Each structure stands twice: as structure tokens, then as C-alpha cells.
Amino acid sequence: MNGQQMVLKLNDISSKKPGNIAAIFSLSNGYVGIQASNPINGSNDTGTLVNGFFEYSPITYGEAAAFYPKNNQTIVPVLNLRKIILLDENHHRFDTATIKDISLNLENGQLHEVYEVSNQAHKKIEMTVVSAIDQKNLSFYGIKFSFKPLSYKGKLIVDKRFKLDAISEAADIGAQEDPRKTRRVNSAAKQIIASADDREILKIATKKSNQSITIQGRSISKKLLTERDLTTSFDLTYIYQVSKGDENKVVPIEQHSFVKIKENSHQFWEKVWQQSAVMISGNDEINLALHFNIFQLNQAAGRDGHTNIAAKGLTGPGYEGHTFWDTEMYMMPYFIYTNPEIAKSLLIYRYHTLAFARKRARELGVDSGALFAWRSINGEETSAYYPASTAAYHLNGDIAYAIGKYYETTDDDEFMEKYGFEILLETARFWREFGSWTEKNGQKKFEFLTVTGPDEYTAMVDNNYFTNRMAENNLQLAYTVGHKLAVSNPKILLKLNTSENELRQFQHLSTNIYFPRNTQYAINAQDDSFFSKPIWPFQTTPNSQYPLLLHYHPLHIYRYQVNKQADTILADFLFPETITESQLGREFDYYEKITTHDSSLSRSIFSAVAARMGNVKKAYSYFSDTVRMDLIDLQGNTEDGLHLANLGGSWLDVVQGFAGMQVTAQGILKILPHLPEEWNSFEFRLMFKKRLLKFVIDQQITEITLINGDPLEVIINQKKYTLSKIIKINN
Amino acid sequence: MNGQQMVLKLNDISSKKPGNIAAIFSLSNGYVGIQASNPINGSNDTGTLVNGFFEYSPITYGEAAAFYPKNNQTIVPVLNLRKIILLDENHHRFDTATIKDISLNLENGQLHEVYEVSNQAHKKIEMTVVSAIDQKNLSFYGIKFSFKPLSYKGKLIVDKRFKLDAISEAADIGAQEDPRKTRRVNSAAKQIIASADDREILKIATKKSNQSITIQGRSISKKLLTERDLTTSFDLTYIYQVSKGDENKVVPIEQHSFVKIKENSHQFWEKVWQQSAVMISGNDEINLALHFNIFQLNQAAGRDGHTNIAAKGLTGPGYEGHTFWDTEMYMMPYFIYTNPEIAKSLLIYRYHTLAFARKRARELGVDSGALFAWRSINGEETSAYYPASTAAYHLNGDIAYAIGKYYETTDDDEFMEKYGFEILLETARFWREFGSWTEKNGQKKFEFLTVTGPDEYTAMVDNNYFTNRMAENNLQLAYTVGHKLAVSNPKILLKLNTSENELRQFQHLSTNIYFPRNTQYAINAQDDSFFSKPIWPFQTTPNSQYPLLLHYHPLHIYRYQVNKQADTILADFLFPETITESQLGREFDYYEKITTHDSSLSRSIFSAVAARMGNVKKAYSYFSDTVRMDLIDLQGNTEDGLHLANLGGSWLDVVQGFAGMQVTAQGILKILPHLPEEWNSFEFRLMFKKRLLKFVIDQQITEITLINGDPLEVIINQKKYTLSKIIKINN
């Protein structure tokens, strides 16, 4: 890696809006996220998000019905830790700061900013900010301000005490016109509970969710409010400790230093890159974007088994800080194949929400099993529009799929026995009770009715192909894993109140699921009624009318063939062995024509599938949009936070698209590369079955190196090899 | 008619809750409705509803989307005109009134009540109240209080001045848990704009809808606040004039008397009974109930072409005072066949909402035509849950159906040219643009996708049989009426920018509509996917869980075969010539088993269809529940207002069920009676093609008398007759 590809700078992003800078350059460790807001102009209240720290507010429905979720959950910005107040000798406040330079070092996690700061008396100084977040003791954040005289030399009053805005509950607002944004929740009470010259402690407590955060701020330079002589430059350094509730602080703030924070940050990133560096030779811009994406994925993930990844990570409050299926389908693969410990934590989070999921299944009239929340922070369903949430039952299958992939990759029996199998079992039970038998073409088939698949432009249909595939896989996994446990650890089955009988039932159901098919085009049908609809009039839809969801009534969209995102194609991507090459070609062509990609979850999948099909040109075109989505603000809403799923999608494209990585039904890793002509070569790393592997692919040669671990069977370009140190073959 | 069957008394109703009494004994003239609330205990603010007087409030959605209605419309209770304050000589307020007797005379429209009134000093007096509403000068209401000493003799202070509660906007509330109730809107500003000893004028103005009401109250006995000697009995009479906005008052309050009000009321009812009396010999209880139903239907209907009938009439604020398809499908037949002038006014109301309906069609992505509002007061869509409102596109066809029936019955060309055809045309255009062509079993068919039929327990399905039938009828009507106008008055076609070409297009579409069929049972299928669903587990559903909508999530209900109300059976009822007797039998049996009748619109249709099938026992059982629904509080919510559609349904049952009245495709009136064995005979009247007809049916004989008008062809028991004065045939 060369430095250029590992430092993101101001010129690397196309929109310099403060909101975009704040999101893109944010620092996080999956526990606390600090957005790179302007320290002088930024608000007092926003800019710091704590994973899982949310407030309830009542959901108001236009017309309510039984078992609609009662409460919103909204991530609460806790305080702007970066805020600083500067005054000149006449107590004129420096109230304008213009960003001159910003750079995020992806190798050590340090953020470096330079501002020109001025006041209405036209006095100017330069302020340089260096900050880092601790990646080991997750509650710590350090920030160093350096001041240099420009047109102003003289006394500088520096106030780094906590500033609290007045609480305005009236400002709390309800539903948004744009469902992708957040609602404001300002009702968390803030109180300074201790203060001294060099430190302050602030407590922030929510009223309804009963959560609290303690923030300790300390000036290394002794005083939070200080007067200095700015005739020459000087530095001031502050350390913050952000802790949830009464959590034990492993390291008290006095014993911690900014040096240590930077060190912990650097060490963490060293390990990340060691396991998951991706190098593209021939396009530095994309290389940088990919590294940035991986960097932000790692920053976003909760690591404690009680927090997950919000749709925007901790980079912004969009989607209210909720976790969606994005985690399992778009981000999990990266973690499974590079840092399975994090994948495990994210799956354990789901395990901890099982009680909510069981309750939700009962509320939906399903007498056994569990239904996970479509959007939530703590695991309780909060979605106020069931046709595109609760009806998306596929989430259950998505979680089961991720568990299957995690297990396939890690052979982590302990996880499976303690957490994974219970989820597989409860989700399989859900499908069993939720589904129904019917006769299709003279055969009894098991089907799933009134569901919504991934494509949110089609809702409440019967037999969504994707959903049925996910259910099949889920039931099959419950059977195979349960069957294995029945031999290896039969008391687990007893404990979970299941039996070989129930497992065989899952097997029976999974082999009898109905899959809709369109005979005219000889492709999988998105659902039973999809092909009876006319195709959306794309020719007469002006560009300004996209995304459709903001411009057309749902009933208008639903009565046409039009996809927001990959749906059947996503199933094809996840289950490559269910489809022939020729059908995949037809299917891709058909669905591509009717897909708007109005969801940020779409292009990455079309790219990966196109690459597999050998249509590298098309794959690369989708990938180009995907990989730099936030850097170029493709969706126009990066200021609400980064599109985390899409970041994961860009990694998928490289590894599961261009390199064609798959794991066979027999659990063998195989690759079948398709190198874009824009690249000379590319290189990536994977963790697979406790081995660290390095792949290098260029136009002539595919090379796999076993960096550590035991020899392993792999399939390259359809041929099986045993990898003991290095394999190098001609493409 | 004997008096007993024409006076409704306290003992005729099963629940004596104040709310039930207030709704059941309410007086109205389609313009103002006065609920029979307790004059002593009742609130100051509620109890008077003015047809069409509503306030907006913003609809808050849990998750909004494009073109969702922005505002609620809620009928605003204007003031309790019956409220009276009585004090004894020590100024102790008489604050308790116990109802001793109440009777509503259906022949003259007078309400007579007797209360025992007491205060905390245990003093008792008797108060008798006689009231009536003017049925000619619709703004007038008169009320006479008579006081008689019981344990108290002495001075009585009587205060009949307007009492205004403080406005509490905070009390305005949003969505209800039970969508059948109303929301509170108290934000209408009230101001007394003039007062004198004997009169007061109050102005009530809404803030957002910009409507106003002027109420003038006058004491015939000179003083609104008066002190009298209650050693012997005395009377006090008051007259109220309730006017919308600056409407011209035809008769000023000074020139009006209670005597005149009572006279106008009596004359009106005389005419109503002359045209629509129904007499059942053998069951006085049902006879009374039927008369009550007809009475309330007449009271509810707006007569000015700008107001309609709220789902609860003006008897209570339930369903927010909104008009639904109830009017056209359940109430309109009564008016068409007994008082076509009112039917015409109600249809003209729809005509006046065409601008809103055109706009709504555009919002739904339909480029031509109009889509009427599912629920509204002024014609603008207000429903906050589109799967059971906007998706119920059938409303367009329901209105067209009513226009067709009105025209068939009246030959009212003027109405058709001025109002009716434009609606037929605009609704036909809607169907044309909304529908889509598809291939079904090798044939190109026209179909309607993602719709909700009458049954609200099934939503957003394809090809709802009922909807498709209504669309077929609508397109056919537009064609035939347009075709007729092309000959008789071709400039209408030009004016409405249509052509014979467009009309032929309607004809073409109507003959190519797809109708789903279930081959296993050889019946019409409710929709494309209905029979793939499992049947609702009725055996294991406890009675306490009905109505299902209050106890199960919509997605739970939608995935089963379960009907809230008649759906395909309603289509069979409306289009008897589309179905054979044997199929009707199978179809009735099938759908009856899966229908909960959770809607009050259901039983009447099952009764009428059962009667036609000759299953009189079953018909009578459904009818018995229907005819006394509010008197026995069958649905448990009569206090929110009467179930107007069901009142109309009970009339349907007698005339279109037990008498088997239909009009053939050739426009000939036919009857085919099935007399319930509980009845000796029954008698009813119809207006048909400008004739007034009287029907008497007993076990032996069917008799039709032409009371006035020219001779007419009729079909009795399948045989054609010419009715010139009387026909009497043996059954």
C-alpha cells in the first residue's frame, strides 16, 4: 500500500457541504462515533452518536390497527465533543472557521484538519486539529488543537467546557416526508454533575428509554477555560471518555493519554489491513475509495454482542440509527471473511433480541418461532409502515443465511451451540407456522403469502421468489445443523425443546417450497403476480422523478413491474448453484431493465452478478457508482450519514464479483476471476477456516498465498488444488 | 299503520346508555342533527351536528409517502342546543336528570321526553321536553320545556343562554385505536356576537377549513334567563336557527314559531310515509324497527346537492362524519325507489366533488378520469390507510352503478345530461387508464391490479371479482348512455370532449374484462389469489376476538381466506343476471362460511341474497339482526351514531330480498316474493318511472296497486302483466 491510497483528503470528495464532510471524515469505533463537524461553527448538541443510545417517542398513525408498533426509537446525538470557543483579547468571539485542509489517515485512524478562524473584528488565526478515537478502550477520544497567529497576535481565550443548548421538547418532530431521514429527539436531559478546572462530567439521560451516558472531559493542559498568549503557536489537548450508564471504565481518564489513544488506534488498523487490505493496481482513486469503505465498515460495527450496525453507522443520524437486513446481507460477508469475531458479535446481537422477535411472531399470529424486527435499535419492531417492513419476512432468512455463512467459514461450533442454532430453529419454526400448503399444478406445495421481498416497489404479494429461497435455506440449515448437533451434542436439542422429528419436518418443508416461474421468458418470477403487471413507463418518466418513492403514491408504483433494487437477482447472487448460466443471463437482462436502483442496495449486487456472468464491462460500470457512492454523493443524502450497506457492497463486488469467490455446497472456497480491463491487477485477503489467504489476480496469473494456517483445498477456475503455501496459475 | 308501530319508546331499545339514547332518538333534517342528549347532564359543546361543517387537522403518519392525504376532516359538534340550567331559590343547581320516558313519534317527527330532575338538596321536579326539527325551513329547531313541582315548590331560575366551554386545543387528538370512532376537534372558535334578553346570536368558526355557523336562539317566553314560580306547572319554549356561513335565511327567526316547526315536520313525514311506508303484519317489533330505520334514513340525507350522508348520519360523530360508498350501495336504493329527488341530490353532491376526484386520479398516476374519495366530507380524500381506502377503487363503479339505477328508475334525462353522464365518463376513463391488458389462458384480457374490494379483510389483490364487475358495469353505462346522448343531444359529447370513438372503446374494454373463477368449487373467485390462502381458523377463534380488525394485525388477517363482509356475494346481489341459481347457491355457501360480518354492511346483503335463493329461514335470521342492529346495539358502538348503511340494508332486505324486487336489463320491474313464515303479510311502496306503486304480499296473494301514474308492465313470479290499476295474483 502506498500512502496516497491510504489518506482521504478534501479533494477526494465532490461535495464540500459541512454535512458531507462531517459524515465522511467521522471517526468511530463501533461504540462512539464522532462526526467531523466544524469545531467553531458546529452545533453544541450534535455530532456524537453512541451505538445503541436511543430515545423512544410515540408513533402517531393516521389510522392505527392492532399490533402496530407503539414507539419510535431514535438514536440521540449526545454532545459535540469537538466544539471549542475562542475569544480575542476584547472578548470578540471567533465565530467563523473555514476548512483549509482535512485528511483522514486510514492506516492509523488519525484525522487532521486545518481551519482558518476569524471573527467580526476581521482577526484571523489558524487552527489545526488532530484527533483520534481509541480502538481498544472504546470510550476514549482525544483531540489536540494547535493555534497559530495569522492577522491576530495577542491573548486567546480558549473555552472547552461543555456547552448545553436549552432542551426544546417542542422541537421533537414526528414523521418525515422522506422516510430515509431521522426524526429529531432533543428530549434527553443533560446535566453537568461534576466540574473542576481541568475536567467536567456530564450526564445525559433519556426520559422514556431510561438510558444514560456519562461523558468526562479533561484538559491535558490543566484548564478547560484558559487564557493564552498567541504571539507564537501553542497546543491544547483534551481527552474525552464516553461511557454508557454505569459501565465500568477499564481505564480511568487520568491514566489515559492522547498518545495511548493514537497508539491503540494505529494498532487496530494495522490488524485490519493485515487481514483485509484490498489493492487495485491501475486505479488509485478506486483503491482509495475501497480502503475508505472498508475503514468505515470497521468503524461502524458494534463489537459487544449488544449493538449492531446502523444503516448509517455512527456517521449520521439517518434512518434514526436503526439496524436493518443491510447488516446480514451487505456488510456481514466482509466481516465473515476478514474478521469473523465481529461477524460473531453482530449475530449475537440478533440472539439477544430473540425475546422481542418471539413476541413479534405471536403478534403476527404465528404461534411458534420468532420474527426479527425490520428496523430497530434494541430489537423491538419500530417500523410504522408494515407493507415495506413487517411484511419483509425474508429478514428471518437473511439472518439464518448469515449464520450459515459464518459457520461454513469458521466451523465455530461453540457459537452454533450457544447462539446460532437457537436462531436457526426459531426462524425455521416461524416459516413452518407462517407458510401454508396449497396445490400447484397437481402437486402439494408449501408457500408464503402476502409478503414483501427486497424490492420495496412491489409489496404484499404471494411467493416472492427471494423470500421462498431464503426460507428454503433457513429450513434446510435448521435441519442440517440440528442433525449434526443431534450427534455431537444432543442435549442442545433437548434444551431447545426440539427433536429429530421436528428437524425432519423442516427438511420436508424445505424440499416442498414453491418457486414461481415465468415460462414465457424461462426465468424465475419475482412473485406469483409480477408478470401480470404492465412494465413501468420508463420512457416517459423524467429523471427528476427518481427516486420513485418520493414522487409516486405506493399504489401507483405497486401496480407496475418496477424494481427499487435487486430482488430475484439477489437470490441468484446468494444461491449461485440454483441457476444455470443461460437462465441467469436471461434473468439478469429481464430484471435489469425494470430496476431503478433507487435503493443504495442495488447496484453492488448487479455488479457482482454481471461480473460472474463474465460481463465485466457492465459489472465495472455498476461498481464504479457503488464504490464511490458517498464520496461523490450519488444518492444526494450523504450528509445524513454514509450508506453502510453499499460500502459492504463494494467489497462484495471485488471479492465475490470480480474475483468470483464462492463457497461450494461442500464448503470449498473457489474463485473464478474476471479482471476489469481498467485494472492491471488486484489483490485482497480473506480469512477462511482459520487460514489467512492472500489473492493476487492479474491478466495472466491468479496467485493464492497461504499466509498462515494449515493446507487447504481450493478451486481456481473450476479446477481443484491443494494450497499449502502458494499456488500460481495462468488464467 | 297503527300508532304503536309508529312511536319508538325507551323500552324498545335494549341499552339505555345516554349515548345510545342520544343517537337513537336524535332529530335531523339532513342539514342539522340534534342528538337527544340529557338537557341537564349533557355537555355544553356536543350534541348538534351540521351536515358538511368540518374542521381540518393535519394527518400524522408513522411513515409518510407521496400523495398521502395531508389533512383529516372532522365533523365539528357545534353546541348543545338542548342544554338548560335550572337553579332553586337558594341557587342550588339541579344537576341530575333521570330519564323517565322518551318517545319519538315517527308520524310527525316529534320527540317527547320526561325527566325527573333533582339537586344535591334532594329537591325534585319533573321536566317534560317536546322538540321538533323543521323539515321545510331546515335551519329551525324548536324545543319546549314544561316544569312540574314534585318535592320542590318554589322559585325556579331557568337559564337557557348559550354556555361555552373553554376551547382546549390540546384536547384535539390524533389517531384512534378504533378506526370506527371519531377524533376530537375542539378548535372551532365560538363567539357570542349579539345578545338581548330574549335572544342570542353565536358564531362558530373553524380555523383551518374557514367555515362558519351562526346560531340564533330565541325564547318565545321573552327571557333566556328567567325566574318563575314553580308552585304550579309552567312551560318555556325556545326556537333555534342554525345557519351555515352567510346563507340567506328564508324565514327570519322572529316570524317563525314552534307550531310552524311542528307543522312542517308533520307534513314532511306524511309525504315520506305515503311514498315509502312498509307494513309488516305479524310482527310489530320489526315493523317499528323498519319504520325507525326509514325515519332515520330520511333524517340523515343532505338535500342540497352539496352535502351527503355521513356513515352515522347526523346522529353521532363516529367515522368523523365522513361519507363512504355506504351511500350509493346501501342507502341510495331506498331513495331511488321512494324519493328520487333525494337520490338526485346525493348524486349531485358527487358531481360537485369531481374536481377533487380528477386531482386524486392524477395523484394515483392515472392520466385521465376521476377517482372519488373513499372517505371525505367535502370530496377531498382524507383516508390515512390506503390499503383499505384508496385501493378500494370500486367506489368509482359504485357511484356509476347508483347513477345507472337512478336513471333506469326515473328516466331523468336532465340529470343525466347535466351531471350523471360526466361522472360516468370520468369514472369510465379512470378504469380505462387504470386497467391493464394481460394474457389469460391464451386470451387478451383487461384487468385491475393491486386493488381492495368491499371485503377489507383482503387487501391489495389482483382482479377482485366485485371490482371488475363494477368496472364492467361502469364502462358499459358510459357507453350506452353516451350512445343515447350522441343521438339525443350530441353537443354534450362535444362539451365533455368525448366521442363515439371513445365510447366504443369503453364498450370494448367492458366486454374484455377478466373475471377470476374457482374451478374446484365452480364459483366466482373473490380475486386471483384468494383460493391459494388457507381458511381462517374459525374453530379456534374465541368470540371475544371479534371484530378481527381490533384483535389481529392486518398482515395476519390478509393471509387467510376470511371476509369482513359480503364481497363476491354483493356483486351477485347487484348483478343477478350474471349468475345461475345453482352457482349462486354454491357461491353463497362457500363465502358465507368464511364471512365474519364484522362490518355492519354484511348481514343485509346475505339476507337479501338468501331470500332470493328461497332460503327464507336464513334470510330472516340475517334480517332480524340487521333490522334492529342499533336498537339492540348489536355492534356495541351505537353511541357513536347509528349504522346508516345498515338501516338502508334493512329496507333492501324487505323489498329486494323478501319481495324479490329487481329491474331487468330491459328496465322492467319484477318481483318474486318469499314471505317469511313469521309474517302474515307485508306491504310496501315504490316510486318507479314516475308511478307510485303499492305492493301487498301474503301467503296466498301478491297484489300490486298503481296508486298514481300511467299503466306499467311488471313481472310477477316470472310472468309479465300490465298494471293499470290493480293486479292480484295467487302465489
Side-chain angles (χ1 to χ4, degrees), chain A residues 604-658:
Chain A
S604 60
I605 302 305
F606 275 87
S607 171
V609 174
R612 279 194 197 164
M613 287 161 53
N615 191 342
V616 190
K617 216 174 171 65
K618 188 180 282 282
Y620 196 74
S621 160
Y622 280 119
F623 171 76
S624 299
D625 287 340
T626 290
V627 69
R628 310 207 307 128
M629 183 176 284
D630 286 306
L631 300 181
I632 62 174
D633 204 1
L634 182 71
Q635 306 286 107
N637 61 354
T638 291
E639 62 186 336
D640 297 328
L642 305 181
H643 297 80
L644 263 291
N646 182 68
L647 305 185
S650 67
W651 182 89
L652 277 183
D653 286 348
V654 173
V655 175
Q656 303 201 269
F658 297 121

Side-chain angles (χ1 to χ4, degrees), chain A residues 104-115:
Chain A
L104 176 60
N105 186 322
L106 307 175
E107 278 181 312
N108 62 20
Q110 279 183 38
L111 180 66
H112 186 275
E113 301 148 79
V114 181
Y115 295 90

